[in-house]
Amino acid sequence: MAASLSSLVRRTITTAVRNASSSGGGAHAHDGGYKQWKMVSILVAMPAIALCMANAILSEHEHRPDFVAYEHLRLRNKRFPWGDGKKSLFHNTHSNALPEGYEDEEH
Amino acid sequence: MAALIIRSLSQTTRRGVQVTSVRFANKMMADPLEHATGLEKQELMAKAAGNDNPFDMRVYKRISGDQTNPTVVPSFYEKRLVGCICEEDATCINWMWLEKGDKKRCECGYWFQLADAKPMV
Amino acid sequence: MSSSHGHHAYHLVDMSPWPLTGSVSAMMLTTGLVKWFHQFNMDLLLLSFLATILTMIQWWRDVTREGTYQGLHTQVVMKGLRWGMILFIVSEVLFFFSFFWAFFHSSLSPTIEIGMCWPPVGIQPFNPFQIPLLNTTILLSSGATVTWAHHAITSSNHSEAIQSLALTIFLGLYFSALQAFEYAEASFTIADSVYGSTFFVATGFHGLHVIIGTSFLAVCFYRLYKCHFSSDHHFGFEAAAWYWHFVDVVWLFLYIFIYWWGG
């Protein structure tokens, strides 16, 4: 929803900017060609990033799923070559269960 | 409120963003010919002087090429590798060393002769 | 000027030790990885990182010396460099193709062991419309800013080029930071079935390429600052920009197929 809205806004502004710049400074392609891309970067890209940032920050966190000892998950056929060999490289104590279960009892 | 935002947005785009950088002048880069050096600069200078082929890279078209009137191949040294494309749609090039003094005949019947030339440098 | 250069347009490079040190460091890298994985010893691997970095720095420093300071990069030499970069990027496309193949192999026909569904049973994938969408916007925007920078260079505008290239690098760093955050917060790891394997290998190599691309752009920034480029001759920057667009396109494929379709 947010994605289609922001891309709609993006497309509208891009068309408006393109129309404005082509009538104005489109004549010299060699000098000043950066102006078009500068406008796109500042007037389209920056707001889009801001919108997406707001969306990401304000979105709710997923609820941590209950631990089920599935055989296809938390594979440990060979130990990891660091630490005690039981945790992945970006191991998150809260979100990542070990083969025996979550390390912290309460959620 | 929305109308105000839209109006200021469209005014900015129409005026162009140059307005915002009026405070400090943009530093420009050097002229490409001045910036270049060495062999590249010599190439650019030759091109600027009208020489489109400063390194003599073009494929030579043969003239009559018989024994009395061989195709002249310029060389900076005592000998040069010459490749003859015997016919227009030949799929291979016939390479041969051409030494100073001797005329040489390619298998297809054309003759070549070396001539002295000076490199661009 | 030395008489060994200049009688023809081509660049017959001087003798250099870097191809040898490069191959030795590549050998040490691969053997070092094996040693790390099987004997849990990182010494050879760390040495290989040092050797690789030193080779890269000195080799590319020499290319800059030959091109910018000695002027040995004539038009035909530049053409060769263009072809070289294009072919390298093509080889990288094929590299990523293999990881996408692995992903589609596993996801189009999920096995009974993972529940015959994708994502597998028990996997909670990322919401594609949160941080992954932000990352997409960031990379697309950086494509616009790097194009801004290129046009600024061809317009000989040094100040605009500096600003836009700095912005591009910032966006690249922002992407990497966000991905690192995502990696740390993920509910699944690389060891969580073939989902984890395909996800982290594909996005992990992509992230590595983002870091490489950002570094390439950073080197260009330094060279731009030092006025190595002119409006007609700035191939190092063009190569970095091509690489950056390639990284962006790979992300779009990752986003659409792994994050969105595969989620």
Side-chain angles (χ1 to χ4, degrees), chain B residues 47-67:
Chain B
K47 289 209 165 125
N51 179 2
D52 261 339
N53 187 24
F55 293 105
D56 198 19
M57 304 263 278
R58 62 196 167 89
V59 177
Y60 278 69
K61 260 212 102 81
R62 275 194 301 256
I63 34 163
S64 67
D66 61 3
Q67 196 165 10

Side-chain angles (χ1 to χ4, degrees), chain B residues 50-119:
Chain B
N51 179 2
D52 261 339
N53 187 24
F55 293 105
D56 198 19
M57 304 263 278
R58 62 196 167 89
V59 177
Y60 278 69
K61 260 212 102 81
R62 275 194 301 256
I63 34 163
S64 67
D66 61 3
Q67 196 165 10
T68 51
N69 201 5
T71 306
V72 171
V73 175
S75 170
F76 311 146
Y77 307 104
E78 300 296 305
K79 58 182 183 176
R80 186 177 189 183
L81 260 178
V82 173
C84 181
I85 303 172
C86 299
E87 9 163 81
E88 200 180 310
D89 35 353
T91 51
C92 63
I93 299 176
N94 190 23
W95 298 100
M96 68 203 91
W97 277 107
L98 193 57
E99 258 132 82
K100 193 139 139 203
D102 313 325
K103 283 193 282 237
K104 201 160 196 171
R105 181 185 179 276
C106 173
E107 270 95 52
C108 62
Y110 281 94
W111 288 80
F112 298 96
Q113 180 155 47
L114 211 63
D116 274 325
K118 278 239 106 76

